[in-house]
Amino acid sequence: MKKLLSFIMFVFLVTCIVVPSKAASVDETQIPICTTVNDTYIYTDADPFLTDGTTFVPIRFVSEALGVDSVEWDHPNKTAIIRDGSTEIQLPIGEDYAYVNGQYTSIRQGVKLVSNRTFVPIRFVSETLGADVYWDQDTYKVKIYKDGVTVPDNLVDYRGYTDEDILWLARIIEAESSGESMNGKIGVGNVILNRVESSEYPNTIYGVIFDDEFGIQFTPVANGAIYNDPSNTSVIAAKIALEGGNTAGDSLYFMNPAKAKSSWITQSRPYYSTIGNHSFYL
């Protein structure tokens, strides 16, 4: 899931320009959604997405992760068919209903075809297959549990970050860029992640935030704001940054020129861009 292809349509890369600041907002269909089955992250070849509060996932990947017998495509009737033991689910594309063992069943939001991939509401399919489904608002993750299921190795997604990483990155984003645009929030996240990758700083998100080798690096650490709960938009910005979204290039520093008490950054580091109230430096 490190490739967030649809992100290109959501935010453009900042290249040494000034981007106007506006309140953070996000198209919910572009929010990075993770899916787990029995606490194992599953790989999909197309990103899950939200529409009006309903999470859609590629039908084949989630079905096979749940160990179904087969997933088939009825081309003449434009219908996806899932078979698992004595259960058969027929899912007509573009309709707001399904047939479960021949019985008509209404589906909220229906079945969608996006970029030649069939997407289904994950809760409906999972619960029909006998699984329990939970939504983790703190990390934008769908958690599915079903007894006796082990995700096949080819469907396991080895995510390169933890829920703790999301939390701490979201906290520093919230504390440093509350009220900034989504681009600006992502940029703050990029700086933290760039430092993690740099040999000059600790190699964890938590370590970078609380780094004090040459003095406290971030004001929210000093004043305690780092411990405040992040907003949903800051969590989303953290996940976008962790999934590869970037608006600040290789920047290692950011500052608010109107509030900065030192000119060291402006005099010592190459300028990269300005997003809202923050200027970014390499």
Side-chain angles (χ1 to χ4, degrees):
M1 293 183 66
K2 294 300 290 181
K3 294 182 179 179
L4 191 60
L5 298 179
S6 59
F7 176 74
I8 296 172
M9 301 301 295
F10 167 63
V11 60
F12 59 89
L13 294 178
V14 179
T15 54
C16 299
I17 58 175
V18 177
V19 182
S21 176
K22 41 198 278 195
S25 61
V26 63
D27 178 352
E28 68 173 357
T29 63
Q30 307 302 325
I31 298 173
I33 306 295
C34 296
T35 306
T36 63
V37 173
N38 292 341
D39 295 322
T40 297
Y41 288 93
I42 66 171
Y43 165 83
T44 61
D45 68 344
D47 294 327
F49 62 86
L50 279 170
T51 297
D52 295 332
T54 298
T55 302
F56 285 82
V57 295
I59 183 173
R60 180 171 298 278
F61 288 84
V62 70
S63 299
E64 292 181 352
L66 286 169
V68 302
D69 294 331
S70 66
V71 181
E72 302 172 9
W73 173 245
D74 180 351
H75 185 73
N77 295 309
K78 296 183 178 180
T79 298
I81 303 173
I82 302 172
R83 293 188 174 92
D84 186 40
S86 60
T87 301
E88 180 184 89
I89 310 172
Q90 298 182 33
L91 298 151
I93 299 298
E95 304 294 347
D96 60 358
Y97 61 84
Y99 290 100
V100 179
N101 293 336
Q103 298 295 311
Y104 175 94
T105 304
S106 178
I107 302 179
R108 184 172 182 266
Q109 299 291 330
V111 182
K112 303 182 183 298
L113 186 65
V114 180
S115 299
N116 294 318
R117 294 289 187 275
T118 303
F119 284 80
V120 294
I122 193 169
R123 182 175 296 276
F124 170 78
V125 170
S126 299
E127 291 182 344
T128 301
L129 292 170
D132 295 318
V133 182
Y134 303 91
W135 170 248
D136 185 345
Q137 183 68 34
D138 292 334
T139 58
Y140 286 85
K141 177 168 55 182
V142 179
K143 302 165 71 174
I144 305 171
Y145 293 96
K146 186 177 181 181
D147 291 341
V149 169
T150 299
V151 178
D153 289 342
N154 66 308
L155 293 179
V156 174
D157 183 32
Y158 296 98
R159 192 177 67 162
Y161 56 89
T162 68
D163 288 351
E164 283 292 304
D165 290 334
I166 298 172
L167 173 63
W168 286 110
L169 190 59
R171 280 179 169 175
I172 192 64
I173 289 172
E174 177 72 14
E176 289 282 8
S177 59
S178 178
E180 293 293 316
S181 68
M182 182 59 71
N183 280 356
K185 286 176 174 286
I186 295 167
V188 170
N190 294 150
V191 168
I192 303 300
L193 296 178
N194 288 342
R195 289 192 177 195
V196 170
E197 295 299 318
S198 171
S199 61
E200 299 178 6
Y201 297 93
N203 61 3
T204 67
I205 290 171
Y206 182 91
V208 165
I209 293 171
F210 289 93
D211 180 21
D212 61 358
E213 182 176 355
F214 299 104
I216 292 176
Q217 299 290 301
F218 302 101
T219 301
V221 174
N223 63 24
I226 188 64
Y227 298 103
N228 294 339
D229 292 335
S231 64
N232 287 343
T233 53
S234 291
V235 174
I236 293 167
K239 291 205 68 175
I240 289 174
L242 287 163
E243 290 286 340
N246 190 308
T247 62
D250 295 329
S251 296
L252 293 171
Y253 301 86
F254 63 86
M255 60 176 289
N256 184 333
K259 296 181 179 180
K261 298 179 180 180
S262 170
S263 59
W264 177 85
I265 293 178
T266 59
Q267 295 176 354
S268 305
R269 309 297 300 194
Y271 171 78
Y272 181 75
S273 68
T274 294
I275 309 175
N277 292 315
H278 282 138
S279 295
F280 293 84
Y281 293 81
L282 301 175

